[in-house]
């Protein structure tokens, strides 16, 4: 008999709004980070267990990131995507703080064809770990700030925090 696991969650305040974090209760691995209004984002469900203690490391690292003191998260992650999505998400993890990349560059990093750029975009859009897995660092080939599941205003704020965009340093 398979025993269902309960999703553990907490909410953390941030300069880009409240962040909903979920984790695997057995391992403590972060399974999602969502923001209000996020396309495909999570919301607290009946039966979930509020467990702030499980998220102390994530909360501390997020606070340090927003204070400009942390450039790389060191958290255990568990996303459970398809093999293709996991490859795309792993490529996102290699985009350094303060840098940007394009959908085409991500496709090339995972050995996908140029024709796969659309599928790469879909995988990036389905990233369940906003901010921690830096999909906000992916831009259009022409340098445009293309879609972001958390909203373009948040993307601008995150890229500004990381020093990639100028003129909005008062956002934090």
């Amino acid at each position: 008999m398979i025993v269902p696991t309960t999703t553990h969650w907490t909410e953390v305040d941030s300069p880009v709004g409240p962040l909903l974090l979920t984790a695997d209760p057995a391992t403590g691995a972060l399974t999602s980070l969502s923001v209000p209004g996020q396309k495909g984002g999570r919301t607290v469900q009946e039966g979930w267990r509020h467990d702030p203690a499980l998220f102390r490391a994530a909360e501390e690292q997020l606070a340090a990131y927003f204070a400009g003191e942390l450039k790389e998260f060191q958290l255990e992650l568990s996303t459970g995507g398809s093999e293709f999505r996991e490859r795309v998400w792993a490529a996102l993890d290699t985009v350094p703080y303060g840098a940007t990349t394009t959908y085409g560059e991500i496709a090339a990093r995972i050995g996908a064809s140029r024709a796969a750029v659309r599928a790469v975009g879909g995988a990036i859009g389905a990233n369940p770990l906003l901010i921690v897995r830096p999909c906000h660092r992916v831009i259009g080939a022409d340098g445009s700030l293309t879609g972001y599941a958390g909203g373009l205003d948040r993307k601008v704020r995150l890229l500004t925090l990381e020093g990639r965009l100028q003129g909005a340093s008062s956002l934090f």
Side-chain angles (χ1 to χ4, degrees):
M1 182 171 127
I2 297 174
V3 178
T5 59
T6 300
T7 298
H8 289 228
W9 69 278
T10 198
E11 193 170 88
V12 175
D13 288 329
S14 84
V16 295
L19 308 176
L20 173 64
L21 285 70
T22 63
D24 180 307
T27 65
L30 198 60
T31 56
S32 73
L33 187 158
S34 300
V35 296
Q38 174 184 334
K39 178 183 170 195
R42 299 188 84 178
T43 57
V44 177
Q45 303 295 308
E46 186 176 330
W48 284 15
R49 181 172 170 214
H50 186 237
D51 187 2
L54 187 61
F55 299 91
R56 293 255 189 272
E59 186 172 2
E60 289 169 2
Q61 289 184 39
L62 284 161
Y65 169 79
F66 285 114
E69 300 164 356
L70 180 81
K71 300 198 180 339
E72 188 174 325
F73 291 96
Q74 299 294 322
L75 297 167
E76 185 178 349
L77 309 176
S78 176
T79 47
S82 69
E83 188 263 335
F84 178 79
R85 284 186 173 181
E86 291 291 341
R87 286 184 15 236
V88 170
W89 297 338
L92 287 176
D93 291 339
T94 68
V95 181
Y97 181 96
T100 55
T101 190
T102 66
Y103 296 93
E105 290 168 349
I106 293 289
R109 283 184 195 188
I110 66 166
S113 69
R114 291 286 302 153
V117 169
R118 222 172 164 72
V120 166
I124 291 170
N127 171 24
L129 288 162
L130 295 190
I131 304 167
V132 172
R133 180 159 279 151
C135 55
H136 60 276
R137 296 178 187 153
V138 181
I139 61 174
D142 63 358
S144 63
L145 297 182
T146 56
Y148 180 60
L152 283 178
D153 59 326
R154 285 189 183 98
K155 183 172 191 160
V156 166
R157 293 179 75 163
L158 294 168
L159 290 173
T160 300
L161 168 70
E162 294 184 11
R164 191 64 189 179
L165 298 178
Q166 303 302 316
S169 59
S170 63
L171 295 173
F172 290 96

